[in-house]
Amino acid sequence: MRRVVVTGLGMVTPLACGVEESWSRLIAGQSGVGPITRFDASRVATTYAAEIPFGDGTDGTFNPDDWMDPKERRKVDDFILYGMAAATQAVKDSGWEPKTDEDRERTGVMIGSGIGGLSAIADTAVLLQEKGPRRVSPFFIPSALINLVSGQVSIRFGFKGPNHAVVTACSTGAHAIGDAARLIQWGDADVMVAGGAESPISEIGIAGFNACKALSTKRGNDPQSASRPWDADRDGFVMGEGAGIVILEEYEHARARGAKIYAEVLGYGMSGDAYHITAPSEDGEGGYRSMAAALKRAGLSPADVDYINAHGTSTMADTIELGAVERLLGAAAAATTMSSTKSSIGHLLGAAGAVEAIFCVLSLRDQVAPPTLNLDTPPEGVRIDLAPKAARQREIAVALSNSFGFGGTNATLVMGRGDR
Amino acid sequence: MSDIADRVKKIVVEHLGVEEDKVIESASFIDDLGADSLDTVELVMAFEEEFGIEIPDDAAETIQTFGDAVKFIQEAA
């Protein structure tokens, strides 16, 4: 089977625009959570979220003008803007510039989203009601469709290979990277732009997740303490937004052009819970099977895993994942570190798995596990190191990232160092 | 230039992201100002909104240039 490596990274997160800026703030223990500014949140139960820091583009702020011109921006919802920004960073970082038709046809795009253009749909529904169908923009549909991140990216860079989009709720980003790696392994492409993008911080988005009882509501007086995976006082997840994109490349292709190789995708596993629309089963057997499948593909045993980036959303399900991980690792749990970076950036839904896969790549590069913020009271009897409050310098040869989504859809990525 | 022409020009500049001096009477939205077919649909909707008029689809198809738009609106408004 052809080997697949990671040769480019791009991200826009609530910590910063840019990979290195987001990563350094993550390791330093900063939080991207604050009061909602994107809309008037006075009518919804949750008044805080992890918003991207908009600004003039300096000091890690996100300036939309740097990534799409205003004329094009009017035709896309924010999730596409974030995806374009992260994809543009990743392509530049990889140095991959196809010069021939064949190279362009061997380069594909697989960027997903959990919900897509939720704001565009909500705003247009109101417009339709108030002004009638003749006022609906010709750009409404292409601004809201989930696969239009992949479409826009392919148009910008001329990538004519497979053009696809994953939609598996909060597992989207991980599935996109795993599926794109499979396309390279099977020979459908040599290079894939893969990841996820999401912009759910709108009144309808918050109201919808509030109705599911999924969001934290009790920490309006101290929003940065709200995302607290595994902590005894957690009360739901904190909504985030952003995008994470990787460039995946066939190993020999990357070597031949002298590309920088960050990491290798060693394994990818999937499973379904067949249990409930929003909750995992109490025994976490779906997540367990997803992890076991990924390790089997990688040809590794559970004891080989050094760092786990947990799904860990700061909901009741955190301890279900923890139980599955401890069962899988057995005695090896004591030597493993697991953290949830959602404690810092909130839950980016369809972008979460991709952003977290990038954090795993960087943990392999820098030999450091990011912290779990706000973990004051860990579960009793926990055997694994949850990296409470401070990053862990440690040897990391293999990193595993979990993503679990509504509908009972699970994905696990296993990655190894680029120099192995 | 008439008030109507100024207002039409402002819409064209905003929607198509072009320099104001490119928007001359003979300028074709598609051939000269970089619009695609969806852009022209949106432009016509913006004219309808700005001037409180209705531009039927068959009439919209005849509006190819900035001059066409100004002329149509002057007659309709």
Side-chain angles (χ1 to χ4, degrees):
Chain A
M1 196 66 91
R2 297 179 359 136
R3 293 171 65 183
V4 179
V5 292
V6 179
T7 58
L9 306 173
M11 60 167 59
V12 182
T13 75
L15 286 172
C17 174
V19 171
E20 299 303 334
E21 295 84 352
S22 294
W23 176 240
S24 62
R25 291 173 191 192
L26 181 78
I27 294 303
Q30 293 183 24
S31 167
V33 183
I36 289 173
T37 63
R38 204 57 49 72
F39 68 96
D40 173 5
S42 58
R43 297 201 303 174
V44 289
T46 296
T47 57
Y48 45 90
E51 296 181 346
I52 289 169
F54 277 65
D56 64 3
T58 61
D59 193 30
T61 58
F62 177 70
N63 182 353
D65 290 342
D66 292 344
W67 308 103
M68 282 184 103
D69 73 46
K71 179 195 163 204
E72 294 304 312
R73 276 215 310 282
R74 290 192 305 103
K75 304 175 184 176
V76 301
D77 201 343
D78 282 345
F79 77 107
I80 297 179
L81 169 66
Y82 303 157
M84 285 286 270
T88 301
Q89 294 168 23
V91 170
K92 185 173 179 226
D93 184 41
S94 76
W96 174 236
E97 292 174 21
K99 296 283 195 295
T100 65
D101 282 343
E102 193 192 348
D103 281 346
R104 281 185 278 273
E105 289 163 15
R106 301 289 299 163
T107 305
V109 189
M110 171 119 56
I111 301 168
S113 181
I115 316 182
L118 190 57
S119 295
I121 294 169
D123 293 348
T124 304
V126 171
L127 181 86
L128 179 69
Q129 192 70 27
E130 289 178 350
K131 297 193 170 178
R134 284 183 56 85
R135 283 291 168 270
V136 174
S137 166
F139 300 112
F140 161 54
I141 296 294
S143 76
L145 291 181
I146 281 173
N147 72 298
L148 260 285
V149 192
S150 291
Q152 291 274 9
V153 167
S154 73
I155 293 164
R156 173 172 288 184
F157 295 103
F159 297 153
K160 295 185 169 183
N163 199 276
H164 206 325
V166 172
V167 184
T168 50
C170 306
S171 296
T172 296
H175 273 135
I177 291 172
D179 289 352
R182 292 261 161 103
L183 291 188
I184 293 173
Q185 286 177 321
W186 274 74
D188 295 281
D190 294 324
V191 181
M192 289 293 296
V193 183
E198 201 78 66
S199 56
I201 303 177
S202 58
E203 190 171 35
I204 193 171
I206 299 292
F209 280 94
N210 272 151
C212 295
K213 304 292 177 199
L215 294 179
S216 167
T217 58
K218 293 177 182 165
R219 301 241 172 203
N221 56 349
D222 185 12
Q224 297 205 340
S225 73
S227 188
R228 42 197 315 115
W230 299 297
D231 185 79
D233 290 330
R234 67 193 187 278
D235 77 318
F237 79 78
V238 173
M239 190 79 92
E241 61 175 349
I245 306 285
V246 298
I247 306 300
L248 299 176
E249 191 164 348
E250 193 274 322
Y251 176 68
E252 297 297 343
H253 189 277
R255 289 252 305 190
R257 68 181 186 90
K260 163 182 57 188
I261 295 176
Y262 281 101
E264 179 168 359
V265 180
L266 300 175
Y268 169 44
M270 294 161 279
S271 72
D273 288 343
Y275 177 73
H276 186 267
I277 52 173
T278 62
S281 63
E282 288 295 323
D283 59 3
E285 65 88 31
Y288 182 99
R289 285 185 290 110
S290 178
M291 289 186 276
L295 287 170
K296 185 179 175 189
R297 280 281 173 194
L300 295 172
S301 70
D304 294 322
V305 179
D306 300 301
Y307 171 63
I308 297 174
N309 189 300
H311 185 59
T313 55
S314 185
T315 61
M316 285 307 135
D318 295 357
T319 44
I320 295 176
E321 179 184 18
L322 176 62
V325 166
E326 289 196 332
R327 273 202 311 288
L328 182 78
L329 295 182
T336 309
T337 297
M338 174 161 78
S339 63
S340 170
T341 47
K342 290 186 179 81
S343 62
S344 172
I345 61 169
H347 190 354
L348 275 59
L349 308 185
V355 166
E356 288 157 18
I358 294 172
F359 289 153
C360 283
V361 166
L362 297 170
S363 74
L364 290 160
R365 182 192 70 178
D366 293 349
Q367 299 291 286
V368 58
T372 303
L373 304 187
N374 302 312
L375 181 48
D376 293 326
T377 313
E380 232 169 273
V382 60
R383 291 185 289 125
I384 195 167
D385 168 31
L386 296 174
K389 300 187 175 186
R392 284 268 188 281
Q393 286 290 338
R394 59 159 294 156
E395 193 186 334
I396 302 176
V398 173
L400 180 151
S401 184
N402 275 336
S403 295
F404 308 143
F406 278 6
T409 174
N410 311 305
T412 301
L413 293 167
V414 175
M415 285 175 291
R417 289 168 58 147
D419 56 2
R420 55 181 249 132
Chain B
M1 193 179 282
S2 71
D3 168 56
I4 285 177
D6 280 345
R7 285 156 69 191
V8 171
K9 182 179 281 189
K10 186 160 176 281
I11 290 170
V12 172
V13 166
E14 269 176 23
H15 282 254
L16 301 183
V18 291
E19 300 293 326
E20 205 173 308
D21 58 13
K22 297 263 168 57
V23 187
I24 56 174
E25 189 173 336
S26 62
S28 157
F29 296 128
I30 289 178
D31 296 334
D32 301 319
L33 301 177
D36 63 21
S37 60
L38 297 181
D39 289 318
T40 62
V41 173
E42 201 191 33
L43 267 183
V44 166
M45 285 172 55
F47 298 151
E48 290 182 328
E49 183 86 15
E50 172 73 15
F51 296 100
I53 56 174
E54 191 162 311
I55 305 176
D57 288 350
D58 54 346
E61 283 168 22
T62 68
I63 300 175
Q64 303 285 331
T65 66
F66 173 63
D68 292 342
V70 173
K71 185 160 171 282
F72 183 93
I73 293 162
Q74 277 170 340
E75 286 166 6

